[in-house]
Amino acid sequence: EIAEQHGVQAVGIGCDVTDEASVESALAALDGALPPVGALVNNAGITSPTPFLEVSGEEWDRVFAVNVRGAYNITRRVAPGMVERGFGRIVFLASVSAERGGGVFGGVAYSAAKAAQLG
């Protein structure tokens, strides 16, 4: 629909950003189908509105895996090509919770993960 409505090339590919092999597979599917990646928006994210004293280690890790490690996995893969071509833009979508702390929107794990993205 996007390609048709806007007269652009577009490809939709599913990917688990927490899994390096999934990231590699998704990007491999793009190789040759479109021009090289010139812009990346790290938009994958999850929240956890769980109060801090109730956050399990597993939940903490899950939130960081998507919000932080996921952004790292994809950025690490596309940034070298941008450097090689001398052009590229990478955007991380964080949150006001990164600056205000847990409890504002998504809980402390979410706030900490979004603060990590700002870093």
Side-chain angles (χ1 to χ4, degrees):
E1 286 180 34
I2 292 170
E4 188 176 303
Q5 289 178 6
H6 300 284
V8 297
Q9 291 178 302
V11 175
I13 299 172
C15 174
D16 176 356
V17 295
T18 69
D19 178 46
E20 290 181 50
S22 181
V23 168
E24 189 61 40
S25 177
L27 290 171
L30 291 178
D31 286 344
L34 296 172
V37 175
L40 168 65
V41 177
N42 285 302
N43 189 39
I46 59 171
T47 185
S48 175
T50 307
F52 179 72
L53 295 177
E54 297 173 24
V55 175
S56 66
E58 182 178 282
E59 180 67 358
W60 184 272
D61 290 344
R62 184 178 76 88
V63 172
F64 267 75
V66 174
N67 292 292
V68 182
R69 180 60 188 243
Y72 166 78
N73 285 343
I74 189 80
T75 301
R76 182 179 68 151
R77 173 57 172 74
V78 301
M82 292 177 175
V83 170
E84 183 179 294
R85 290 184 299 280
F87 177 83
R89 301 293 184 263
I90 300 172
V91 176
F92 288 78
L93 295 183
S95 169
V96 68
S97 291
E99 297 176 353
R100 294 189 180 172
V104 178
F105 295 112
V108 74
Y110 175 78
S111 295
K114 290 303 182 173
Q117 283 189 331
L118 289 179

